[in-house]
Amino acid sequence: MTLETLTLISTTCIVLSGASLLLGWYFIRWRRDMIRHRNTMLTATTLAGLFLVAYVTRWSLYGSKAFPGTGGWRTLYFANLIPHIILAMAVGPLALRLIYLALWKRDFARHRRWGRVTVPIWLYVAASGWLVYYMLYRMAY
């Protein structure tokens, strides 16, 4: 696969993961539909996993891409990238914890408390990941 294909796959997966999170939140918060909530949240998790596979594959084959911008764009890029990386490392364990609490422990009170922390972090990671992609591959400097 080409660099462009893997990049597009990984970015699409993480953005769709964020959209699935929002849909899952809607199902539980406004509809009280636990089945659709569970299914969309597991879809979000699967898409995040596919993102990780595509990202690691791309990185293994092509390495990292240096940011081409300078000045204020460079500052903005790194101001977005650094918290993105740190929070992205936290999302996986947090998501697994949520799945464990809901599906295995059936401890929905703790699941809800952890979800209130995890979902905003995950959404930030999805949105900032899209911005990293846009700044690296789509902006003209």
Side-chain angles (χ1 to χ4, degrees):
M1 281 195 174
T2 68
L3 171 65
E4 292 78 17
T5 301
L6 286 169
T7 300
L8 187 58
I9 289 170
S10 66
T11 302
T12 300
C13 284
I14 202 60
V15 169
L16 290 175
S17 174
S20 294
L21 278 177
L22 289 172
L23 188 59
W25 176 78
Y26 166 79
F27 283 137
I28 200 65
R29 177 77 170 100
W30 300 108
R31 307 284 279 193
R32 303 286 187 233
D33 187 335
M34 289 178 65
I35 302 299
R36 286 187 176 146
H37 170 73
R38 181 196 65 212
N39 291 344
T40 55
M41 292 308 206
L42 290 174
T43 297
T45 304
T46 300
L47 287 164
L50 291 172
F51 156 80
L52 187 58
V53 169
Y55 177 83
V56 169
T57 301
R58 186 189 75 214
W59 182 82
S60 297
L61 294 173
Y62 300 102
S64 297
K65 180 175 179 175
F67 181 70
T70 59
W73 288 117
R74 188 171 185 77
T75 301
L76 177 64
Y77 175 77
F78 284 106
N80 178 64
L81 181 66
I82 292 167
H84 169 79
I85 291 170
I86 293 167
L87 293 172
M89 290 187 293
V91 167
L94 288 169
L96 292 175
R97 176 77 174 157
L98 286 173
I99 292 168
Y100 171 75
L101 288 171
L103 297 182
W104 280 274
K105 295 285 280 183
R106 311 224 17 110
D107 187 344
F108 298 114
R110 287 174 56 205
H111 172 82
R112 199 169 24 257
R113 282 195 304 270
W114 280 96
R116 288 182 179 136
V117 172
T118 304
V119 169
I121 292 171
W122 194 335
L123 289 171
Y124 173 82
V125 168
S128 61
W130 176 84
L131 185 58
V132 167
Y133 162 78
Y134 185 79
M135 292 183 83
L136 275 177
Y137 295 95
R138 296 293 175 227
M139 281 185 77
Y141 299 96

